[in-house]
Tab-separated table of all heavy atoms in Angstrom:
chain	number	residue	atom	x	y	z
A	41	TYR	N	113.731	116.649	109.074
A	41	TYR	CA	112.972	117.055	107.896
A	41	TYR	C	111.642	117.672	108.311
A	41	TYR	O	111.107	117.408	109.382
A	41	TYR	CB	112.727	115.866	106.958
A	41	TYR	CG	111.861	114.769	107.508
A	41	TYR	CD1	110.495	114.722	107.227
A	41	TYR	CD2	112.398	113.762	108.309
A	41	TYR	CE1	109.692	113.716	107.729
A	41	TYR	CE2	111.601	112.749	108.815
A	41	TYR	CZ	110.251	112.729	108.514
A	41	TYR	OH	109.447	111.735	109.021
A	42	VAL	N	111.121	118.503	107.418
A	42	VAL	CA	109.863	119.190	107.668
A	42	VAL	C	108.873	118.766	106.590
A	42	VAL	O	109.233	118.621	105.420
A	42	VAL	CB	110.059	120.726	107.676
A	42	VAL	CG1	110.576	121.246	106.339
A	42	VAL	CG2	108.761	121.427	108.052
A	43	SER	N	107.625	118.538	106.984
A	43	SER	CA	106.645	118.064	106.012
A	43	SER	C	105.225	118.403	106.447
A	43	SER	O	104.971	118.728	107.613
A	43	SER	CB	106.764	116.546	105.821
A	43	SER	OG	106.321	115.864	106.977
A	44	LEU	N	104.318	118.308	105.508
A	44	LEU	CA	102.897	118.394	105.782
A	44	LEU	C	102.418	117.047	106.286
A	44	LEU	O	103.069	116.015	106.058
A	44	LEU	CB	102.142	118.787	104.511
A	44	LEU	CG	102.476	120.177	103.963
A	44	LEU	CD1	102.147	120.263	102.482
A	44	LEU	CD2	101.724	121.239	104.732
A	60	LEU	N	96.305	124.308	109.296
A	60	LEU	CA	96.993	123.275	108.529
A	60	LEU	C	98.343	122.997	109.177
A	60	LEU	O	99.233	123.851	109.156
A	60	LEU	CB	97.175	123.724	107.079
A	60	LEU	CG	97.885	122.737	106.161
A	60	LEU	CD1	96.965	121.565	105.834
A	60	LEU	CD2	98.350	123.416	104.874
A	61	PRO	N	98.523	121.802	109.780
A	61	PRO	CA	99.778	121.546	110.510
A	61	PRO	C	100.969	121.319	109.586
A	61	PRO	O	100.861	120.684	108.542
A	61	PRO	CB	99.461	120.273	111.307
A	61	PRO	CG	98.328	119.619	110.590
A	61	PRO	CD	97.566	120.688	109.893
A	62	VAL	N	102.097	121.872	109.994
A	62	VAL	CA	103.388	121.622	109.347
A	62	VAL	C	104.334	121.173	110.460
A	62	VAL	O	104.500	121.873	111.457
A	62	VAL	CB	103.939	122.875	108.648
A	62	VAL	CG1	105.243	122.541	107.924
A	62	VAL	CG2	102.919	123.441	107.668
A	63	THR	N	104.951	120.002	110.282
A	63	THR	CA	105.718	119.371	111.364
A	63	THR	C	107.182	119.219	110.976
A	63	THR	O	107.494	118.816	109.851
A	63	THR	CB	105.130	117.986	111.696
A	63	THR	OG1	103.744	118.126	112.005
A	63	THR	CG2	105.847	117.356	112.878
A	64	VAL	N	108.072	119.537	111.919
A	64	VAL	CA	109.492	119.263	111.733
A	64	VAL	C	109.828	118.035	112.575
A	64	VAL	O	109.494	117.952	113.756
A	64	VAL	CB	110.369	120.483	112.090
A	64	VAL	CG1	110.143	120.959	113.515
A	64	VAL	CG2	111.845	120.155	111.868
A	65	HIS	N	110.445	117.059	111.943
A	65	HIS	CA	110.742	115.772	112.578
A	65	HIS	C	112.219	115.704	112.991
A	65	HIS	O	113.099	116.153	112.266
A	65	HIS	CB	110.428	114.625	111.617
A	65	HIS	CG	108.992	114.588	111.188
A	65	HIS	ND1	108.045	113.816	111.818
A	65	HIS	CD2	108.341	115.256	110.198
A	65	HIS	CE1	106.876	113.993	111.232
A	65	HIS	NE2	107.027	114.857	110.244
A	67	SER	N	113.655	117.320	115.170
A	67	SER	CA	114.154	118.624	115.580
A	67	SER	C	112.973	119.411	116.137
A	67	SER	O	111.823	119.012	115.960
A	67	SER	CB	114.780	119.366	114.394
A	67	SER	OG	115.292	120.615	114.805
A	68	ASP	N	113.250	120.503	116.807
A	68	ASP	CA	112.172	121.307	117.385
A	68	ASP	C	111.868	122.551	116.570
A	68	ASP	O	110.732	123.026	116.539
A	68	ASP	CB	112.531	121.727	118.814
A	68	ASP	CG	112.480	120.553	119.783
A	68	ASP	OD1	111.677	119.640	119.552
A	68	ASP	OD2	113.267	120.557	120.748
A	69	ASN	N	112.906	123.098	115.929
A	69	ASN	CA	112.765	124.403	115.300
A	69	ASN	C	113.090	124.340	113.816
A	69	ASN	O	113.961	123.572	113.384
A	69	ASN	CB	113.666	125.430	115.984
A	69	ASN	CG	113.426	125.479	117.479
A	69	ASN	OD1	112.282	125.483	117.927
A	69	ASN	ND2	114.495	125.496	118.255
A	70	CYS	N	112.395	125.172	113.063
A	70	CYS	CA	112.657	125.218	111.624
A	70	CYS	C	111.976	126.443	111.029
A	70	CYS	O	110.902	126.852	111.480
A	70	CYS	CB	112.129	123.952	110.950
A	70	CYS	SG	112.303	123.948	109.150
A	71	ILE	N	112.598	127.018	110.017
A	71	ILE	CA	111.949	128.046	109.208
A	71	ILE	C	111.726	127.444	107.822
A	71	ILE	O	112.657	126.911	107.207
A	71	ILE	CB	112.811	129.316	109.102
A	71	ILE	CG1	113.035	129.930	110.496
A	71	ILE	CG2	112.168	130.342	108.172
A	71	ILE	CD1	114.001	131.102	110.499
A	72	VAL	N	110.485	127.504	107.331
A	72	VAL	CA	110.173	126.922	106.029
A	72	VAL	C	109.360	127.933	105.231
A	72	VAL	O	108.518	128.655	105.772
A	72	VAL	CB	109.402	125.581	106.185
A	72	VAL	CG1	108.071	125.768	106.891
A	72	VAL	CG2	109.202	124.901	104.838
A	73	THR	N	109.639	128.001	103.942
A	73	THR	CA	108.865	128.869	103.057
A	73	THR	C	107.841	128.031	102.305
A	73	THR	O	108.050	126.844	102.074
A	73	THR	CB	109.771	129.602	102.060
A	73	THR	OG1	110.525	128.639	101.314
A	73	THR	CG2	110.722	130.538	102.782
A	101	VAL	N	106.149	132.529	104.876
A	101	VAL	CA	107.205	132.005	105.755
A	101	VAL	C	106.575	131.513	107.048
A	101	VAL	O	105.747	132.203	107.650
A	101	VAL	CB	108.259	133.092	106.074
A	101	VAL	CG1	109.318	132.546	107.027
A	101	VAL	CG2	108.903	133.609	104.796
A	102	LEU	N	106.977	130.316	107.477
A	102	LEU	CA	106.479	129.754	108.732
A	102	LEU	C	107.662	129.445	109.641
A	102	LEU	O	108.584	128.730	109.245
A	102	LEU	CB	105.678	128.475	108.452
A	102	LEU	CG	104.923	127.870	109.636
A	102	LEU	CD1	103.810	128.808	110.093
A	102	LEU	CD2	104.337	126.515	109.263
A	103	GLN	N	107.653	129.989	110.840
A	103	GLN	CA	108.704	129.721	111.820
A	103	GLN	C	108.159	128.714	112.834
A	103	GLN	O	107.276	129.040	113.627
A	103	GLN	CB	109.131	131.011	112.506
A	103	GLN	CG	109.725	132.028	111.542
A	103	GLN	CD	110.385	133.200	112.270
A	103	GLN	OE1	110.970	133.023	113.337
A	103	GLN	NE2	110.299	134.381	111.689
A	104	ILE	N	108.704	127.517	112.797
A	104	ILE	CA	108.216	126.430	113.643
A	104	ILE	C	109.066	126.347	114.906
A	104	ILE	O	110.292	126.290	114.845
A	104	ILE	CB	108.269	125.087	112.892
A	104	ILE	CG1	107.438	125.157	111.621
A	104	ILE	CG2	107.788	123.941	113.781
A	104	ILE	CD1	107.576	123.928	110.729
A	105	THR	N	108.404	126.335	116.046
A	105	THR	CA	109.067	126.078	117.323
A	105	THR	C	108.271	124.995	118.046
A	105	THR	O	107.052	124.936	117.930
A	105	THR	CB	109.119	127.345	118.193
A	105	THR	OG1	107.788	127.823	118.406
A	105	THR	CG2	109.949	128.433	117.527
A	106	GLY	N	108.981	124.133	118.757
A	106	GLY	CA	108.291	123.067	119.474
A	106	GLY	C	107.838	121.925	118.574
A	106	GLY	O	106.977	121.131	118.959
A	107	GLY	N	108.378	121.849	117.369
A	107	GLY	CA	108.117	120.686	116.516
A	107	GLY	C	106.968	120.830	115.537
A	107	GLY	O	106.934	120.125	114.527
A	108	VAL	N	106.012	121.700	115.802
A	108	VAL	CA	104.872	121.834	114.898
A	108	VAL	C	104.334	123.263	114.948
A	108	VAL	O	104.356	123.918	115.998
A	108	VAL	CB	103.746	120.822	115.246
A	108	VAL	CG1	103.183	121.096	116.631
A	108	VAL	CG2	102.632	120.845	114.199
A	109	ASP	N	103.897	123.740	113.801
A	109	ASP	CA	103.197	125.021	113.733
A	109	ASP	C	102.145	124.896	112.632
A	109	ASP	O	102.013	123.842	112.012
A	109	ASP	CB	104.165	126.174	113.460
A	109	ASP	CG	103.651	127.485	114.063
A	109	ASP	OD1	102.420	127.626	114.226
A	109	ASP	OD2	104.478	128.363	114.362
A	110	TYR	N	101.426	125.999	112.376
A	110	TYR	CA	100.271	125.902	111.489
A	110	TYR	C	100.256	127.040	110.478
A	110	TYR	O	100.650	128.168	110.776
A	110	TYR	CB	98.966	125.951	112.296
A	110	TYR	CG	98.885	124.872	113.355
A	110	TYR	CD1	99.361	125.106	114.645
A	110	TYR	CD2	98.369	123.626	113.051
A	110	TYR	CE1	99.309	124.125	115.611
A	110	TYR	CE2	98.314	122.624	114.016
A	110	TYR	CZ	98.785	122.882	115.294
A	110	TYR	OH	98.743	121.889	116.245
A	111	ILE	N	99.786	126.701	109.291
A	111	ILE	CA	99.395	127.715	108.320
A	111	ILE	C	97.908	127.952	108.556
A	111	ILE	O	97.098	127.027	108.471
A	111	ILE	CB	99.648	127.252	106.873
A	111	ILE	CG1	101.145	126.986	106.657
A	111	ILE	CG2	99.136	128.288	105.875
A	111	ILE	CD1	101.468	126.356	105.312
A	132	LEU	N	105.223	123.384	100.135
A	132	LEU	CA	106.420	123.768	100.885
A	132	LEU	C	107.556	123.938	99.887
A	132	LEU	O	107.779	123.058	99.040
A	132	LEU	CB	106.778	122.701	101.914
A	132	LEU	CG	105.716	122.366	102.977
A	132	LEU	CD1	106.287	121.380	103.993
A	132	LEU	CD2	105.204	123.618	103.681
A	135	ALA	N	113.293	124.493	103.247
A	135	ALA	CA	113.611	124.594	104.674
A	135	ALA	C	114.839	125.474	104.799
A	135	ALA	O	115.903	125.151	104.270
A	135	ALA	CB	113.873	123.212	105.251
A	137	THR	N	116.434	126.350	107.471
A	137	THR	CA	117.228	126.061	108.662
A	137	THR	C	118.283	125.012	108.316
A	137	THR	O	117.993	124.018	107.642
A	137	THR	CB	116.322	125.538	109.789
A	137	THR	OG1	115.305	126.495	110.043
A	137	THR	CG2	117.128	125.293	111.058
A	140	VAL	N	118.094	120.835	108.087
A	140	VAL	CA	116.701	120.398	108.007
A	140	VAL	C	116.314	120.361	106.538
A	140	VAL	O	116.541	121.326	105.805
A	140	VAL	CB	115.748	121.335	108.789
A	140	VAL	CG1	114.299	120.881	108.616
A	140	VAL	CG2	116.110	121.349	110.262
Side-chain angles (χ1 to χ4, degrees):
Y41 65 96
V42 61
S43 70
L44 296 157
L60 180 73
V62 183
T63 305
V64 57
H65 300 266
S67 181
D68 289 330
N69 306 316
C70 176
I71 298 174
V72 61
T73 57
V101 178
L102 188 66
Q103 298 191 35
I104 302 173
T105 58
V108 63
D109 209 334
Y110 303 90
I111 299 173
L132 301 185
T137 303
V140 177

